[in-house]
Amino acid sequence: MSVAWLLFAATVVVQTVFPFTDGGTLTLTMMSVALLSAAALVHVASTVSPSSAVALAAVAGAGGLAAESVGVHTGFPFGGYEYTGTLGPELLGVPVIVPMAWIMMAWPALVVARRLTSRHRWATPIVGALALTAWDVFLDPQMVDQGYWRWENTEPSIPGVDGIPLTNFAGWILVSLVIMTLLDRLIGPSSLDALPITVYLWTYFSSVVAHAVFFGRPPVALVGGVLMGAVAVPLIVTLIRGNNRVRK
């Protein structure tokens, strides 16, 4: 098993503990993000090139940090919000763990988008942005409930995803589209994409179960299941059809 797979396996173990700690602790949250972002970087470095891993860190990591720093100081593009100082060390007013989270899911989102748009490559950044933003439908309610950040205005919101304004998701679409466009241009296709695809599907299914059963947010499980499922389900269909073609 490669280093990237080992890092992902460790992430699964850590995340499996989350439901038994009422949504996770700071230590578990930081371990999960650190392990999964490391898995993404190691995977890119080993299946594309080391320079591509640098590009991922620069675009998703530094880019995510810049967007979050502007956002927390100006309210653009996500809407007014503030970190509560409980999410670990900060840089430019943003917890260091936050840009790591952009790294950990940006690569899976790009790989998934490339799988789904192989015949329409112009659509890759768009699908990638939707894939990344849909994940935040699960993430933001969990982090707000844990008290890691808070919003100045929470309305209007997506029905079922109370406490998170629509401006947040609009901002995610905008930032994700920029990040996906740059990554798609800077990073070539991976020679092996099973890991990032597995990460995306694991994140989808585990998030649905966690919110439905453990976090007390069944409406988020439903809405997130539909929105992230709009990417995950076609991906599963594509994978099944691909395997069938190989068997034939």
Side-chain angles (χ1 to χ4, degrees):
M1 183 181 291
S2 70
V3 173
W5 279 102
L6 287 172
L7 290 167
F8 170 62
T11 304
V12 171
V13 173
V14 170
Q15 291 182 348
T16 302
V17 179
F18 269 56
F20 305 101
T21 59
D22 193 28
T25 66
L26 177 60
T27 299
L28 289 174
T29 299
M30 295 188 73
M31 287 178 62
S32 175
V33 174
L35 287 167
L36 212 50
S37 60
L41 291 169
V42 169
H43 184 265
V44 174
S46 60
T47 65
V48 185
S49 69
S51 61
S52 294
V54 174
L56 175 62
V59 173
L65 173 63
E68 295 278 357
S69 183
V70 171
V72 79
H73 287 103
T74 70
F76 177 83
F78 307 103
Y81 69 105
E82 63 179 358
Y83 292 103
T84 60
T86 59
L87 199 52
E90 296 185 358
L91 178 64
L92 301 178
V94 178
V96 174
I97 194 175
V98 171
M100 293 170 64
W102 282 93
I103 292 172
M104 80 177 195
M105 285 303 291
W107 178 235
L110 178 62
V111 171
V112 166
R114 284 175 169 173
R115 269 294 185 111
L116 293 173
T117 62
S118 58
R119 297 181 180 179
H120 306 282
R121 286 301 307 280
W122 60 268
T124 296
I126 298 172
V127 175
L130 294 174
L132 192 52
T133 301
W135 165 62
D136 190 57
V137 175
F138 291 116
L139 174 68
D140 223 277
Q142 180 187 351
M143 296 295 101
V144 168
D145 288 349
Q146 287 298 112
Y148 292 135
W149 60 77
R150 52 178 168 255
W151 293 94
E152 292 179 7
N153 299 299
T154 59
E155 297 294 338
S157 62
I158 298 175
V161 189
D162 299 331
I164 315 299
L166 280 172
T167 54
N168 171 62
F169 302 112
W172 266 77
I173 285 287
L174 176 62
V175 175
S176 297
L177 185 58
V178 173
I179 288 175
M180 290 295 111
T181 299
L182 291 174
L183 290 180
D184 192 39
R185 290 178 176 272
L186 294 173
I187 301 179
S190 171
S191 58
L192 296 169
D193 60 6
L195 176 62
I197 287 174
T198 302
V199 169
Y200 195 84
L201 292 177
W202 160 257
T203 301
Y204 173 59
F205 287 112
S206 63
S207 296
V208 170
V209 172
H211 282 278
V213 180
F214 299 104
F215 295 167
R217 287 265 204 163
V220 171
L222 176 60
V223 175
V226 171
L227 295 178
M228 195 170 179
V231 176
V233 172
L235 173 64
I236 294 170
V237 172
T238 298
L239 294 173
I240 293 173
R241 287 178 175 174
N243 288 337
N244 287 339
R245 282 196 293 268
V246 170
R247 293 191 187 99
K248 292 176 182 178

